[in-house]
Amino acid sequence: MALSAPTTALALDGGDLRADPKDTVAFSHTEAPVDIKSVALEEYLHYASITRAEEKAANERYRAAKAPLTWQAVVRERFSKRPSRRELHNDNSDGGQARVGGEMEAEWKNASRAVRTAGRGGAFYLIATDVLGPSQTPWSFSQLGYGPGFALYTVFGILSGYSGIILWRLFLQLDSDRYPMRNFADIFYRVFGPGMRHFVNIAQAIQLIAVLGFLILLNGQGISQMAYGPDGSYPGICFVACLVIFTVAGFVIGQVRSLQKYSWLANVSVLLNLLVVFIVMGVAANYAPNYNAVMATFGPQWKPGPIVTFAGTPPDGFATGGKGFVATVNGVNQALLCYGGAALFVFFLAEMRHPMDFWKSILCAQILIYVTYIVFGMVVYHYHGQYTYAPAVQGVSDYRWQTALNAMNLVMGLIASGLFDFAGNIGVKIVYIEVFERLLHFPPIHTPRGRLWWAILSPAYWVLGFVLAGAIPQFPLVSGLIGAVFGVGFTYILPALAALGFRVRRDAMLEESERFDPAIGAVNYVDSGFRRLVRGFMKRPVVNLAHLVYFLGGLVICGLGCYAAIIQLMGAFASGVATSFTCDSPV
């Protein structure tokens, strides 16, 4: 999972133009505000089908009028200002005439499409920026061996791609100009109701804290390595101070509230990430592993010795992630983390002019990500064997290359911190609305008092991320725990559950007697309850059973991953290798 966030979906100081900031009301066909809770699944499907048809027609006109593609046009489009709302979206398929409801309907369409400017190429960069994060891949191979590592990265790559397809298909069937989707939780709200939306929103908010902690720890270690110099010849900086330095820098960078300044940086970060991959492979082939970092993180028993690699699972004593089953599962956790990122796909889809093209973006991005992981993981493991370190740039022993790579990582980390601060602000808003406002009766966020409370809570994301990084200074195991909980949860478990729930509800509909009537805005149901669910499940039992197995399998892997990471963390603290809030560097 790369350390980034959607570059345009979170762009707007004033919030998303496509829906009310509180996401509790929308306009109905009668031009009166209605509670979204009253909207039936059939109504979402009805208006989504209309929107997709209009997008298809608009996309055909767009492509017909588009100038020939040249290198100059690509560069100009990438670094120039985005087209205005009128330039891109004032071409409704009905010739500017409202479909229903007069001028108000046209305003809904314009507002809904105002932020949809990305093409499939832009979506490719967003997916690659979001998911591509190879720094832990070599260490994962060192815990699994060549064969199991190759097999697991292949299987998880295919499954994560399938989860992306699930989210894409759900978006196409549930998003519309009238009821636009803005985030991952919207899917679960429309399929399962408000309780599930609250759960997913809060889980995403917690995930952002965990990933910020991951980011702070990664770059704090890099600052510490640079400060100590070759073989500790420099005085160095207290490790907690290194974490504070990056936390403050990241928070300050994140206050730049214009994604015009960040959108092209996200694309550069993909290329910089790949450059780091090639440099690390070259350096690993010519220099010994960083034995000092390995001993500082995993204990003095990992003193220099012959480098050994294994086709199968390494035996005890040759895997730094633990013994036997625990080491293997900790290696699996890194693979799960590397493919995490599906929770942001709805943001990306919400940005696309023609979201039906998203499958092309997923396919190209997944191929790039998969090849990078396999090649990078195997090459570095081949040269560093059981001494392979995570993150890979800090496993480089030559100080000059180590410093250069840490500096490049620091640049990428600062870019990511700015982008994550956008996501963090969205997450804080979600927590405020869902918990403080609705459950604890704080003032509404759009009021002066509500904005004041939100401003107080906003820096809490960085503070909590810093506390996490300082409390558990064991990067490979922290990243593994995040992969087990959030990588599995958002990339495998929740998409499978959404697919199962949506198919059962959709297939339970009786086409002849349960159609949505736009004239009255209602659906007449024949039955309800368990009988209806059984009818929906049995319409496509094989597919639904497959999604049920996918969901349950994800839960099992999540449980095993958490167990292995926690056991190894407990061992690290018990042995004294890991110490919370210490000046001693873990690298």
Side-chain angles (χ1 to χ4, degrees):
M1 180 172 71
L3 301 177
S4 63
T7 56
T8 52
L10 307 178
L12 311 168
D13 292 348
D16 194 331
L17 294 174
R18 300 175 52 199
D20 181 88
K22 293 178 67 177
D23 198 25
T24 58
V25 297
F27 288 106
S28 73
H29 57 279
T30 62
E31 300 185 12
V34 296
D35 193 334
I36 286 182
K37 293 178 183 177
S38 66
V39 178
L41 182 64
E42 290 82 356
E43 185 171 357
Y44 288 126
L45 294 172
H46 172 80
Y47 286 111
S49 65
I50 294 173
T51 296
R52 298 289 87 80
E54 292 177 350
E55 285 174 347
K56 182 178 180 181
N59 189 62
E60 290 172 354
R61 290 196 302 277
Y62 174 83
R63 293 188 182 282
K66 192 175 182 181
L69 186 66
T70 64
W71 284 109
Q72 294 88 340
V74 171
V75 173
R76 187 167 54 250
E77 180 180 0
R78 178 58 57 195
F79 293 96
S80 64
K81 287 186 176 181
R82 293 291 186 190
S84 68
R85 173 198 291 195
R86 291 188 178 275
E87 291 171 334
L88 277 171
H89 303 289
N90 198 21
D91 64 341
N92 294 332
S93 60
D94 53 11
Q97 301 300 316
R99 175 164 36 85
V100 180
E103 294 182 2
M104 181 65 73
E105 185 72 20
E107 285 300 314
W108 291 335
K109 289 183 184 180
N110 283 336
S112 175
R113 298 175 189 177
V115 295
R116 295 192 175 192
T117 61
R120 59 178 178 263
F124 162 80
Y125 272 105
L126 289 170
I127 296 169
T129 304
D130 174 38
V131 179
L132 182 62
S135 63
Q136 305 90 259
T137 308
W139 189 79
S140 180
F141 272 88
S142 73
Q143 310 307 298
L144 298 168
Y146 289 116
F150 175 83
L152 286 170
Y153 271 88
T154 301
V155 170
F156 289 144
I158 293 171
L159 291 178
S160 66
Y162 178 66
S163 291
I165 296 297
I166 287 175
L167 298 176
W168 168 63
R169 291 180 63 85
L170 289 172
F171 181 91
L172 293 182
Q173 296 178 80
L174 294 173
D175 168 82
S176 65
D177 292 332
R178 184 180 295 268
Y179 301 117
M181 296 182 68
R182 297 186 299 155
N183 56 54
F184 190 67
D186 284 347
I187 292 176
F188 297 88
Y189 177 61
R190 298 177 188 203
V191 175
F192 297 105
M196 193 64 181
R197 179 179 68 175
H198 298 333
F199 170 78
V200 173
N201 274 331
I202 293 171
Q204 278 194 283
I206 296 172
Q207 181 196 29
L208 285 170
I209 295 172
V211 174
L212 275 179
F214 174 97
L215 183 67
I216 292 168
L217 181 57
L218 169 66
N219 289 281
Q221 288 187 176
I223 294 171
S224 178
Q225 273 194 333
M226 291 188 285
Y228 273 104
D231 299 322
S233 56
Y234 298 167
I237 303 174
C238 174
F239 182 65
V240 173
C242 295
L243 300 180
V244 171
I245 290 170
F246 185 81
T247 302
V248 173
F251 179 76
V252 171
I253 292 292
Q255 302 316 298
V256 179
R257 286 287 179 259
S258 171
L259 282 183
Q260 283 274 314
K261 299 177 177 64
Y262 276 120
S263 58
W264 67 272
L265 288 176
N267 302 336
V268 171
S269 72
V270 175
L271 303 178
L272 195 57
N273 216 331
L274 294 175
L275 178 61
V276 168
V277 164
F278 286 115
I279 292 175
V280 170
M281 289 192 295
V283 174
N286 291 279
Y287 294 93
N290 188 347
Y291 297 109
N292 291 333
V294 176
M295 288 189 289
T297 300
F298 299 107
Q301 69 273 23
W302 291 95
K303 59 187 178 181
I307 292 174
V308 183
T309 58
F310 298 90
T313 304
D316 290 349
F318 289 92
T320 51
K323 294 183 178 180
F325 174 77
V326 170
T328 300
V329 176
N330 278 325
V332 171
N333 285 345
Q334 303 302 321
L336 295 168
L337 178 65
C338 286
Y339 283 115
L344 298 182
F345 284 5
V346 174
F347 281 114
F348 305 158
L349 281 159
E351 289 296 308
M352 294 188 71
R353 284 188 301 267
H354 190 56
M356 283 181 281
D357 281 345
F358 190 69
W359 70 270
K360 302 173 186 177
S361 305
I362 290 179
L363 179 62
C364 294
Q366 285 293 112
I367 291 173
L368 170 67
I369 292 163
Y370 169 74
V371 171
T372 301
Y373 287 166
I374 292 296
V375 173
F376 184 54
M378 286 190 166
V379 168
V380 175
Y381 177 50
H382 171 76
Y383 288 109
H384 284 182
Q386 73 273 33
Y387 297 102
T388 302
Y389 190 72
V393 296
Q394 293 167 16
V396 171
S397 59
D398 182 79
Y399 179 73
R400 295 164 300 176
W401 281 113
Q402 183 190 96
T403 302
L405 290 166
N406 274 321
M408 294 168 70
N409 250 15
L410 192 60
V411 171
M412 290 190 291
L414 287 172
I415 295 173
S417 69
L419 296 174
F420 257 112
D421 200 64
F422 285 111
N425 282 321
I426 296 296
V428 173
K429 286 181 180 179
I430 289 169
V431 171
Y432 187 92
I433 292 170
E434 299 290 342
V435 179
F436 288 87
E437 184 177 331
R438 292 177 178 165
L439 299 181
L440 302 179
H441 307 294
F442 273 53
I445 196 170
H446 60 274
T447 65
R449 288 182 61 205
R451 291 194 188 99
L452 177 61
W453 275 110
W454 176 75
I456 293 172
L457 291 171
S458 183
Y461 261 78
W462 284 96
V463 173
L464 292 173
F466 165 77
V467 170
L468 177 64
I472 314 176
Q474 277 270 322
F475 179 83
L477 304 179
V478 169
S479 61
L481 186 60
I482 293 172
V485 178
F486 299 109
V488 178
F490 286 104
T491 303
Y492 304 99
I493 296 175
L494 289 177
L497 179 62
L500 177 63
F502 175 77
R503 283 181 172 274
V504 168
R505 288 196 61 191
R506 185 196 60 186
D507 291 344
M509 299 173 187
L510 299 174
E511 295 183 4
E512 299 298 327
S513 55
E514 295 185 343
R515 292 183 178 178
F516 170 71
D517 185 350
I520 63 173
V523 180
N524 293 317
Y525 293 104
V526 173
D527 57 6
S528 61
F530 183 72
R531 179 180 177 182
R532 186 176 184 85
L533 295 178
V534 170
R535 181 172 70 244
F537 187 91
M538 294 308 297
K539 189 168 183 178
R540 293 178 175 85
V542 175
V543 175
N544 290 325
L545 184 61
H547 284 137
L548 179 60
V549 171
Y550 191 17
F551 168 71
L552 295 175
L555 289 176
V556 171
I557 292 175
C558 176
L560 292 176
C562 290
Y563 167 79
I566 291 171
I567 288 295
Q568 188 63 6
L569 280 169
M570 291 171 61
F573 278 103
S575 65
V577 173
T579 306
S580 299
F581 299 103
T582 178
C583 275
D584 296 333
S585 176
V587 290

